[in-house]
Coordinates of all heavy atoms in Angstrom, one line a residue:
K243 N 18.7 -22.7 -52.7 CA 19.0 -22.8 -51.2 C 20.4 -22.2 -50.8 O 21.2 -22.0 -51.8 CB 19.1 -24.3 -50.9 CG 17.7 -25.0 -51.1 CD 17.7 -26.4 -50.6 CE 16.4 -27.1 -50.9 NZ 16.5 -28.6 -50.6
G244 N 20.5 -21.8 -49.6 CA 21.8 -21.1 -49.2 C 22.8 -22.2 -48.8 O 22.5 -23.4 -49.0
Y245 N 23.9 -21.7 -48.3 CA 25.0 -22.6 -47.9 C 24.7 -23.4 -46.6 O 25.2 -24.5 -46.3 CB 26.3 -21.9 -47.8 CG 26.3 -21.1 -46.6 CD1 26.9 -21.4 -45.4 CD2 26.0 -19.6 -46.7 CE1 26.8 -20.6 -44.3 CE2 25.9 -18.7 -45.7 CZ 26.5 -19.2 -44.5 OH 26.5 -18.3 -43.4
R246 N 23.8 -22.9 -45.7 CA 23.4 -23.6 -44.5 C 22.2 -24.6 -44.8 O 21.4 -24.4 -45.8 CB 22.9 -22.5 -43.5 CG 24.0 -21.7 -43.0 CD 23.5 -20.8 -41.7 NE 22.3 -20.1 -42.0 CZ 21.3 -20.0 -41.1 NH1 21.4 -20.6 -39.9 NH2 20.2 -19.2 -41.4
R247 N 22.1 -25.6 -44.0 CA 20.9 -26.5 -44.1 C 20.2 -26.5 -42.8 O 20.8 -26.5 -41.7 CB 21.4 -27.9 -44.4 CG 21.9 -28.1 -45.7 CD 20.9 -27.9 -46.9 NE 21.4 -28.0 -48.2 CZ 21.8 -27.0 -49.0 NH1 21.7 -25.8 -48.5 NH2 22.3 -27.2 -50.1
E248 N 18.8 -26.3 -42.8 CA 18.1 -26.3 -41.6 C 18.2 -27.5 -40.8 O 18.3 -28.6 -41.4 CB 16.6 -25.8 -41.9 CG 15.8 -27.0 -42.6 CD 15.9 -26.9 -44.2 OE1 16.7 -26.1 -44.6 OE2 15.0 -27.4 -44.8
K249 N 18.2 -27.4 -39.5 CA 18.1 -28.6 -38.6 C 16.8 -29.1 -38.3 O 16.7 -30.3 -37.8 CB 19.0 -28.3 -37.3 CG 20.4 -27.9 -37.5 CD 21.2 -27.6 -36.3 CE 22.6 -27.4 -36.5 NZ 23.4 -27.1 -35.2
W250 N 15.8 -28.4 -38.6 CA 14.4 -28.8 -38.4 C 13.5 -27.8 -39.2 O 13.9 -26.8 -39.6 CB 14.0 -28.6 -36.8 CG 12.6 -29.2 -36.4 CD1 11.7 -28.2 -36.0 CD2 12.1 -30.4 -36.5 NE1 10.5 -29.1 -35.7 CE2 10.8 -30.3 -36.1 CE3 12.7 -31.6 -36.9 CZ2 10.1 -31.5 -35.9 CZ3 11.8 -32.8 -36.8 CH2 10.6 -32.7 -36.4
G251 N 12.3 -28.3 -39.3 CA 11.4 -27.4 -40.2 C 9.9 -27.8 -39.8 O 9.6 -28.9 -39.3
Y252 N 9.0 -26.8 -40.1 CA 7.6 -27.0 -39.8 C 6.8 -26.2 -40.8 O 7.1 -24.9 -41.0 CB 7.3 -26.7 -38.4 CG 6.1 -27.5 -37.9 CD1 6.1 -28.8 -37.3 CD2 4.7 -27.0 -38.2 CE1 5.1 -29.5 -36.9 CE2 3.6 -27.7 -37.7 CZ 3.7 -29.0 -37.1 OH 2.6 -29.7 -36.7
F253 N 5.7 -26.8 -41.4 CA 4.7 -26.0 -42.1 C 3.4 -26.0 -41.3 O 2.9 -27.0 -41.1 CB 4.6 -26.7 -43.5 CG 3.6 -26.2 -44.4 CD1 3.4 -24.8 -44.4 CD2 2.8 -27.0 -45.3 CE1 2.3 -24.2 -45.3 CE2 1.8 -26.4 -46.1 CZ 1.6 -25.1 -46.1
F254 N 3.1 -24.8 -41.1 CA 1.8 -24.6 -40.3 C 0.8 -23.9 -41.1 O 1.0 -22.8 -41.7 CB 2.0 -23.9 -39.1 CG 0.7 -23.6 -38.3 CD1 0.1 -24.4 -37.5 CD2 0.1 -22.4 -38.5 CE1 -1.1 -24.1 -36.8 CE2 -1.1 -22.0 -37.9 CZ -1.7 -23.0 -37.0
R255 N -0.5 -24.5 -41.3 CA -1.6 -23.7 -41.9 C -2.8 -23.9 -41.0 O -3.2 -24.9 -40.6 CB -1.8 -24.4 -43.4 CG -2.0 -25.8 -43.4 CD -1.9 -26.2 -44.9 NE -2.8 -25.3 -45.7 CZ -2.8 -25.4 -47.1 NH1 -2.0 -26.2 -47.7 NH2 -3.5 -24.6 -47.8
A256 N -3.3 -22.7 -40.7 CA -4.4 -22.6 -39.7 C -5.6 -23.5 -40.2 O -6.2 -24.1 -39.3 CB -4.9 -21.2 -39.5
E257 N -5.9 -23.6 -41.5 CA -7.1 -24.2 -41.9 C -7.0 -25.7 -41.8 O -8.1 -26.5 -41.8 CB -7.4 -23.9 -43.4 CG -6.3 -24.4 -44.4 CD -6.6 -23.8 -45.7 OE1 -7.2 -22.7 -46.0 OE2 -6.2 -24.6 -46.7
S258 N -5.8 -26.3 -41.7 CA -5.7 -27.8 -41.7 C -5.0 -28.2 -40.3 O -4.6 -29.4 -40.2 CB -4.9 -28.3 -42.8 OG -3.7 -27.8 -42.9
F259 N -4.9 -27.3 -39.4 CA -4.3 -27.8 -38.1 C -5.0 -28.9 -37.4 O -4.3 -29.8 -36.8 CB -4.2 -26.6 -37.1 CG -3.5 -26.8 -35.8 CD1 -2.3 -27.4 -36.0 CD2 -4.1 -26.7 -34.7 CE1 -1.5 -27.7 -34.7 CE2 -3.5 -27.0 -33.4 CZ -2.2 -27.5 -33.5
Y260 N -6.3 -29.0 -37.5 CA -7.0 -30.0 -36.9 C -6.5 -31.3 -37.5 O -6.4 -32.4 -36.6 CB -8.6 -29.8 -37.2 CG -9.4 -30.9 -36.5 CD1 -10.0 -30.9 -35.2 CD2 -9.7 -32.1 -37.3 CE1 -10.8 -31.9 -34.7 CE2 -10.4 -33.2 -36.7 CZ -11.1 -33.1 -35.4 OH -11.8 -34.0 -34.9
N261 N -6.3 -31.5 -38.7 CA -5.9 -32.7 -39.4 C -4.5 -33.1 -39.0 O -4.3 -34.3 -38.7 CB -6.0 -32.6 -40.8 CG -7.3 -32.3 -41.3 OD1 -8.4 -32.5 -40.7 ND2 -7.4 -31.7 -42.6
V262 N -3.6 -32.1 -38.9 CA -2.3 -32.4 -38.3 C -2.3 -32.9 -36.9 O -1.6 -33.7 -36.5 CB -1.5 -31.1 -38.5 CG1 0.0 -31.3 -37.9 CG2 -1.4 -30.7 -40.0
A263 N -3.2 -32.2 -36.0 CA -3.2 -32.6 -34.7 C -3.7 -34.0 -34.5 O -3.2 -34.8 -33.7 CB -4.1 -31.7 -33.9
T264 N -4.7 -34.4 -35.4 CA -5.2 -35.8 -35.3 C -4.1 -36.8 -35.8 O -3.8 -37.8 -35.2 CB -6.4 -36.0 -36.3 OG1 -7.4 -35.1 -35.9 CG2 -6.9 -37.4 -36.3
Q265 N -3.3 -36.4 -36.8 CA -2.2 -37.2 -37.4 C -1.1 -37.4 -36.3 O -0.5 -38.5 -36.2 CB -1.7 -36.7 -38.7 CG -0.9 -37.6 -39.5 CD -1.7 -38.8 -40.0 OE1 -2.9 -38.7 -40.2 NE2 -1.1 -40.0 -40.1
E266 N -0.8 -36.3 -35.6 CA 0.2 -36.3 -34.6 C -0.1 -37.4 -33.6 O 0.8 -38.1 -33.0 CB 0.5 -34.9 -34.0 CG 1.7 -34.9 -33.2 CD 1.5 -34.3 -31.8 OE1 0.4 -34.6 -31.1 OE2 2.4 -33.7 -31.2
K267 N -1.3 -37.4 -33.2 CA -1.7 -38.4 -32.2 C -1.5 -39.9 -32.7 O -1.1 -40.8 -31.9 CB -3.3 -38.3 -31.8 CG -3.6 -38.9 -30.5 CD -5.0 -38.5 -30.1 CE -5.4 -39.1 -28.7 NZ -4.5 -38.6 -27.6
E268 N -1.8 -40.1 -34.0 CA -1.5 -41.4 -34.6 C 0.0 -41.7 -34.6 O 0.4 -42.9 -34.4 CB -2.2 -41.4 -36.0 CG -3.6 -41.5 -36.0 CD -4.1 -41.8 -37.4 OE1 -3.4 -42.4 -38.2 OE2 -5.3 -41.4 -37.6
Y269 N 0.8 -40.7 -35.0 CA 2.2 -40.9 -35.1 C 2.9 -41.1 -33.7 O 3.8 -42.0 -33.6 CB 2.9 -39.6 -35.8 CG 2.7 -39.6 -37.3 CD1 2.9 -38.4 -37.9 CD2 2.3 -40.6 -38.1 CE1 2.8 -38.3 -39.3 CE2 2.2 -40.5 -39.4 CZ 2.4 -39.3 -40.0 OH 2.3 -39.3 -41.4
E270 N 2.5 -40.4 -32.7 CA 3.3 -40.3 -31.5 C 2.5 -40.9 -30.3 O 3.3 -41.2 -29.3 CB 3.6 -38.8 -31.2 CG 4.4 -38.1 -32.3 CD 4.9 -36.7 -31.8 OE1 5.0 -36.5 -30.6 OE2 5.3 -36.0 -32.7
G271 N 1.3 -41.3 -30.4 CA 0.7 -42.0 -29.4 C 0.7 -41.3 -28.0 O 0.3 -40.1 -27.9
A272 N 1.3 -41.8 -27.1 CA 1.4 -41.4 -25.7 C 2.3 -40.1 -25.7 O 2.1 -39.3 -24.7 CB 1.9 -42.5 -24.6
L273 N 3.2 -39.9 -26.6 CA 4.1 -38.8 -26.6 C 3.4 -37.5 -27.2 O 4.0 -36.4 -27.3 CB 5.4 -39.2 -27.4 CG 6.2 -40.3 -26.7 CD1 7.4 -40.6 -27.6 CD2 6.6 -39.9 -25.4
S274 N 2.1 -37.8 -27.8 CA 1.5 -36.6 -28.4 C 1.2 -35.5 -27.4 O 1.0 -35.8 -26.2 CB 0.2 -37.2 -29.0 OG -0.6 -36.0 -29.4
E275 N 1.2 -34.3 -28.0 CA 0.9 -33.2 -27.1 C -0.6 -33.0 -26.8 O -0.8 -32.2 -25.9 CB 1.3 -31.9 -27.8 CG 2.8 -31.8 -28.1 CD 3.5 -31.6 -26.8 OE1 3.1 -30.9 -25.8 OE2 4.8 -32.1 -26.7
G276 N -1.4 -33.8 -27.4 CA -2.8 -33.8 -27.0 C -3.4 -32.5 -27.5 O -4.2 -31.9 -26.7
Y277 N -3.2 -32.1 -28.6 CA -3.7 -30.8 -29.2 C -5.2 -30.6 -29.1 O -5.8 -29.5 -28.9 CB -3.2 -30.5 -30.6 CG -1.7 -30.3 -30.6 CD1 -1.0 -31.0 -31.7 CD2 -1.0 -29.5 -29.9 CE1 0.4 -30.9 -31.7 CE2 0.3 -29.4 -29.9 CZ 1.0 -30.1 -30.9 OH 2.4 -29.9 -31.1
H278 N -5.9 -31.8 -29.3 CA -7.4 -31.7 -29.3 C -8.0 -31.6 -27.9 O -9.1 -31.3 -27.7 CB -7.9 -33.0 -29.8 CG -7.7 -33.2 -31.3 ND1 -8.0 -32.1 -32.2 CD2 -7.3 -34.2 -32.1 CE1 -7.8 -32.5 -33.5 NE2 -7.3 -33.8 -33.5
E279 N -7.2 -31.8 -26.8 CA -7.7 -31.7 -25.5 C -7.6 -30.4 -24.9 O -8.0 -30.1 -23.7 CB -6.9 -32.7 -24.6 CG -7.3 -34.2 -24.8 CD -6.9 -34.8 -26.0 OE1 -5.6 -34.8 -26.3 OE2 -7.7 -35.3 -26.8
I280 N -7.0 -29.4 -25.6 CA -6.9 -28.1 -25.1 C -7.4 -27.1 -26.1 O -7.7 -27.4 -27.3 CB -5.4 -27.7 -24.8 CG1 -4.4 -28.0 -25.9 CG2 -4.9 -28.5 -23.5 CD1 -3.0 -27.7 -25.7
S281 N -7.5 -25.7 -25.8 CA -8.1 -24.8 -26.7 C -7.2 -24.7 -27.9 O -6.0 -25.0 -27.9 CB -8.2 -23.5 -26.0 OG -6.9 -22.8 -25.8
H282 N -7.8 -24.1 -29.0 CA -7.0 -23.9 -30.2 C -5.7 -23.0 -30.0 O -4.7 -23.3 -30.4 CB -7.8 -23.2 -31.2 CG -7.3 -23.3 -32.7 ND1 -8.0 -22.8 -33.8 CD2 -6.2 -23.8 -33.1 CE1 -7.2 -23.0 -34.8 NE2 -6.2 -23.7 -34.5
G283 N -6.0 -21.9 -29.2 CA -4.7 -21.0 -29.0 C -3.7 -21.8 -28.1 O -2.5 -21.7 -28.4
E284 N -4.1 -22.5 -27.1 CA -3.2 -23.2 -26.3 C -2.5 -24.4 -27.1 O -1.2 -24.5 -26.9 CB -3.9 -23.9 -25.1 CG -4.4 -22.8 -24.1 CD -5.3 -23.5 -23.0 OE1 -6.0 -24.3 -23.4 OE2 -5.0 -23.2 -21.8
S285 N -3.2 -25.0 -27.9 CA -2.5 -26.0 -28.7 C -1.5 -25.5 -29.6 O -0.4 -26.0 -29.9 CB -3.6 -26.8 -29.5 OG -4.3 -26.0 -30.4
F286 N -1.8 -24.3 -30.3 CA -0.8 -23.7 -31.1 C 0.4 -23.3 -30.4 O 1.5 -23.5 -30.8 CB -1.4 -22.4 -31.9 CG -0.4 -21.6 -32.7 CD1 0.0 -22.2 -33.9 CD2 0.3 -20.5 -32.2 CE1 0.9 -21.6 -34.7 CE2 1.2 -19.9 -33.1 CZ 1.5 -20.4 -34.2
M287 N 0.3 -22.7 -29.2 CA 1.4 -22.3 -28.4 C 2.2 -23.5 -27.9 O 3.5 -23.5 -27.9 CB 0.9 -21.5 -27.1 CG 0.4 -20.1 -27.5 SD 1.5 -19.1 -28.6 CE 2.8 -18.7 -27.6
A288 N 1.5 -24.6 -27.7 CA 2.3 -25.9 -27.4 C 3.0 -26.4 -28.5 O 4.2 -26.9 -28.4 CB 1.2 -26.9 -26.9
L289 N 2.4 -26.2 -29.8 CA 3.1 -26.6 -30.9 C 4.4 -25.7 -31.2 O 5.4 -26.3 -31.5 CB 2.2 -26.5 -32.1 CG 2.8 -26.9 -33.6 CD1 1.6 -27.4 -34.4 CD2 3.3 -25.7 -34.3
V290 N 4.2 -24.5 -31.0 CA 5.4 -23.6 -31.1 C 6.5 -23.9 -30.1 O 7.6 -24.0 -30.5 CB 4.9 -22.1 -30.8 CG1 6.1 -21.2 -30.6 CG2 4.1 -21.6 -31.9
K291 N 6.1 -24.2 -28.8 CA 7.1 -24.5 -27.8 C 7.9 -25.8 -28.2 O 9.1 -26.0 -28.0 CB 6.5 -24.8 -26.5 CG 7.4 -25.1 -25.3 CD 6.6 -25.2 -23.9 CE 7.7 -25.6 -22.9 NZ 6.9 -25.7 -21.6
K292 N 7.1 -26.8 -28.8 CA 7.7 -28.1 -29.3 C 8.6 -27.9 -30.4 O 9.7 -28.7 -30.5 CB 6.6 -29.1 -29.5 CG 7.1 -30.4 -29.8 CD 6.0 -31.4 -29.9 CE 6.4 -32.9 -30.3 NZ 5.2 -33.8 -30.3
N293 N 8.3 -27.1 -31.3 CA 8.9 -27.1 -32.7 C 9.8 -25.9 -33.0 O 10.6 -26.0 -33.8 CB 7.8 -27.2 -33.8 CG 7.1 -28.6 -33.8 OD1 7.7 -29.5 -34.4 ND2 6.0 -28.7 -33.2
L294 N 9.7 -24.8 -32.3 CA 10.6 -23.7 -32.6 C 11.9 -24.0 -32.1 O 12.1 -24.0 -30.9 CB 10.0 -22.3 -32.1 CG 9.4 -21.4 -33.2 CD1 8.3 -22.1 -34.0 CD2 9.0 -20.1 -32.6
R295 N 12.9 -24.0 -33.0 CA 14.3 -24.3 -32.6 C 15.2 -23.4 -33.4 O 14.9 -22.8 -34.4 CB 14.6 -25.8 -32.9 CG 13.6 -26.8 -32.4 CD 13.9 -28.3 -32.7 NE 12.9 -29.1 -32.5 CZ 12.8 -30.4 -32.8 NH1 13.9 -30.9 -33.4 NH2 11.9 -31.2 -32.5
A296 N 16.5 -23.3 -32.9 CA 17.6 -22.6 -33.5 C 17.9 -23.3 -34.8 O 17.7 -24.5 -34.9 CB 18.8 -22.6 -32.7
E297 N 18.1 -22.5 -35.9 CA 18.4 -23.0 -37.2 C 17.3 -23.9 -37.8 O 17.6 -24.9 -38.5 CB 19.8 -23.8 -37.2 CG 20.9 -22.8 -36.7 CD 22.2 -23.5 -36.8 OE1 22.6 -23.9 -37.9 OE2 23.0 -23.6 -35.8
G298 N 16.1 -23.5 -37.5 CA 14.9 -24.2 -38.1 C 14.3 -23.3 -39.3 O 14.5 -22.2 -39.3
L299 N 13.6 -24.0 -40.1 CA 12.8 -23.3 -41.2 C 11.3 -23.5 -41.0 O 10.9 -24.6 -40.8 CB 13.2 -23.9 -42.6 CG 12.3 -23.5 -43.8 CD1 12.6 -21.9 -44.0 CD2 12.7 -24.3 -45.0
Y300 N 10.6 -22.4 -40.9 CA 9.2 -22.3 -40.5 C 8.4 -21.6 -41.6 O 8.7 -20.3 -41.8 CB 9.1 -21.7 -39.2 CG 9.8 -22.5 -38.0 CD1 11.1 -22.0 -37.7 CD2 9.5 -23.7 -37.6 CE1 11.9 -22.8 -36.8 CE2 10.2 -24.5 -36.8 CZ 11.5 -24.0 -36.4 OH 12.2 -24.8 -35.5
I301 N 7.5 -22.3 -42.2 CA 6.5 -21.7 -43.2 C 5.2 -21.7 -42.5 O 4.6 -22.8 -42.1 CB 6.6 -22.5 -44.4 CG1 8.0 -22.5 -45.0 CG2 5.6 -22.0 -45.5 CD1 8.2 -23.4 -46.2
L302 N 4.7 -20.5 -42.2 CA 3.5 -20.4 -41.4 C 2.4 -19.6 -42.1 O 2.6 -18.5 -42.4 CB 3.8 -19.7 -40.0 CG 5.1 -20.2 -39.4 CD1 5.3 -19.4 -38.1 CD2 4.8 -21.7 -38.9
D303 N 1.2 -20.3 -42.2 CA 0.1 -19.5 -42.9 C -1.0 -19.1 -41.8 O -1.6 -20.0 -41.2 CB -0.6 -20.5 -43.9 CG -1.7 -19.8 -44.7 OD1 -1.6 -18.5 -44.8 OD2 -2.4 -20.5 -45.3
E304 N -1.0 -17.7 -41.6 CA -1.9 -17.2 -40.7 C -1.9 -17.9 -39.3 O -2.9 -18.3 -38.7 CB -3.3 -17.2 -41.2 CG -3.5 -16.5 -42.5 CD -5.0 -16.4 -43.0 OE1 -5.9 -16.8 -42.3 OE2 -5.2 -15.9 -44.2
P305 N -0.6 -17.8 -38.7 CA -0.5 -18.4 -37.4 C -1.3 -17.7 -36.2 O -1.4 -18.2 -35.2 CB 1.0 -18.3 -37.1 CG 1.4 -17.1 -38.0 CD 0.6 -17.2 -39.2
E306 N -1.7 -16.5 -36.5 CA -2.4 -15.6 -35.5 C -3.8 -16.0 -35.4 O -4.5 -15.5 -34.5 CB -2.3 -14.2 -35.9 CG -3.1 -13.7 -37.0 CD -2.5 -13.9 -38.4 OE1 -1.5 -14.5 -38.5 OE2 -3.1 -13.3 -39.4
A307 N -4.3 -16.9 -36.3 CA -5.7 -17.1 -36.4 C -6.4 -17.5 -35.0 O -7.6 -17.2 -34.7 CB -6.1 -18.3 -37.4
S308 N -5.7 -18.2 -34.1 CA -6.3 -18.7 -32.8 C -5.7 -18.0 -31.6 O -6.1 -18.3 -30.5 CB -6.0 -20.2 -32.6 OG -4.5 -20.4 -32.6
L309 N -5.0 -16.9 -31.9 CA -4.2 -16.3 -30.8 C -4.9 -14.9 -30.4 O -5.1 -14.1 -31.2 CB -2.8 -16.1 -31.1 CG -1.8 -17.3 -31.5 CD1 -0.5 -16.8 -31.9 CD2 -1.9 -18.3 -30.3
S310 N -5.0 -14.7 -29.1 CA -5.3 -13.5 -28.5 C -4.3 -12.4 -28.7 O -3.1 -12.9 -29.1 CB -5.6 -13.6 -27.1 OG -4.5 -13.8 -26.3
P311 N -4.5 -11.2 -28.6 CA -3.4 -10.2 -28.8 C -2.2 -10.4 -27.9 O -1.1 -10.3 -28.3 CB -4.1 -8.8 -28.5 CG -5.5 -9.0 -28.9 CD -5.8 -10.5 -28.6
Q312 N -2.5 -10.8 -26.7 CA -1.4 -11.2 -25.7 C -0.6 -12.3 -26.2 O 0.6 -12.2 -26.1 CB -2.0 -11.4 -24.3 CG -2.6 -10.3 -23.6 CD -4.2 -10.1 -24.0 OE1 -4.6 -10.6 -24.9 NE2 -4.9 -9.5 -23.0
R313 N -1.3 -13.3 -26.6 CA -0.6 -14.5 -27.2 C 0.3 -14.2 -28.4 O 1.3 -14.7 -28.7 CB -1.5 -15.7 -27.4 CG -2.0 -16.3 -26.1 CD -0.9 -17.1 -25.4 NE -1.4 -17.7 -24.2 CZ -1.9 -18.9 -24.0 NH1 -2.2 -19.6 -25.1 NH2 -2.3 -19.3 -22.8
Q314 N -0.3 -13.3 -29.2 CA 0.5 -12.8 -30.4 C 1.8 -12.2 -30.0 O 2.8 -12.3 -30.6 CB -0.4 -11.9 -31.3 CG -1.5 -12.6 -31.9 CD -2.3 -11.6 -32.9 OE1 -1.7 -11.0 -33.7 NE2 -3.7 -11.7 -32.8
L315 N 1.7 -11.3 -29.0 CA 3.0 -10.8 -28.5 C 3.9 -11.7 -28.0 O 5.2 -11.6 -28.3 CB 2.6 -9.7 -27.4 CG 1.9 -8.4 -27.8 CD1 1.4 -7.7 -26.6 CD2 2.8 -7.5 -28.7
S316 N 3.4 -12.8 -27.4 CA 4.3 -13.9 -26.8 C 4.9 -14.6 -28.0 O 6.1 -14.9 -28.0 CB 3.6 -14.9 -26.0 OG 3.1 -14.2 -24.8
F317 N 4.1 -14.9 -29.0 CA 4.6 -15.5 -30.2 C 5.6 -14.7 -31.1 O 6.6 -15.2 -31.5 CB 3.4 -15.9 -31.1 CG 3.8 -16.6 -32.4 CD1 4.7 -17.7 -32.3 CD2 3.2 -16.4 -33.6 CE1 5.1 -18.5 -33.4 CE2 3.5 -17.1 -34.7 CZ 4.4 -18.1 -34.6
L318 N 5.3 -13.3 -31.0 CA 6.3 -12.5 -31.7 C 7.6 -12.5 -31.0 O 8.7 -12.6 -31.7 CB 5.7 -11.1 -31.5 CG 6.6 -9.8 -32.1 CD1 5.6 -8.7 -32.5 CD2 7.6 -9.3 -31.2
M319 N 7.7 -12.6 -29.7 CA 9.0 -12.7 -29.0 C 9.7 -14.0 -29.3 O 11.0 -14.0 -29.5 CB 8.7 -12.6 -27.5 CG 8.2 -11.3 -27.0 SD 7.6 -11.3 -25.3 CE 9.1 -11.8 -24.4
Q320 N 8.9 -15.1 -29.5 CA 9.5 -16.3 -29.8 C 10.0 -16.4 -31.2 O 11.1 -17.0 -31.5 CB 8.6 -17.5 -29.5 CG 8.2 -17.7 -28.0 CD 7.3 -18.8 -27.8 OE1 7.6 -19.9 -28.1 NE2 6.1 -18.5 -27.2
I321 N 9.3 -15.8 -32.1 CA 9.9 -15.7 -33.5 C 11.2 -14.9 -33.6 O 12.2 -15.4 -34.1 CB 8.8 -15.0 -34.4 CG1 7.5 -16.0 -34.6 CG2 9.4 -14.7 -35.8 CD1 6.4 -15.2 -35.4

Side-chain angles (χ1 to χ4, degrees):
K243 300 179 181 180
Y245 67 92
R246 294 193 303 142
R247 291 292 179 267
E248 69 267 21
K249 294 183 178 180
W250 182 246
Y252 205 92
F253 174 35
F254 172 86
R255 51 191 315 171
E257 64 184 31
S258 60
F259 179 57
Y260 179 92
N261 301 336
V262 174
T264 301
Q265 196 65 32
E266 192 229 32
K267 196 169 186 65
E268 289 189 25
Y269 282 163
E270 301 189 16
L273 297 177
S274 168
E275 294 293 322
Y277 295 130
H278 289 314
E279 283 74 54
I280 52 180
S281 75
H282 195 180
E284 290 174 316
S285 63
F286 176 77
M287 294 307 291
L289 181 148
V290 167
K291 183 178 180 181
K292 181 176 181 179
N293 286 282
L294 252 61
R295 308 175 189 177
E297 299 187 56
L299 173 65
Y300 302 98
I301 300 177
L302 313 175
D303 188 16
E304 299 185 8
E306 73 275 9
S308 64
L309 299 179
S310 69
Q312 293 90 336
R313 287 289 176 90
Q314 289 185 46
L315 288 171
S316 296
F317 184 42
L318 180 153
M319 293 169 61
Q320 294 184 60
I321 293 174

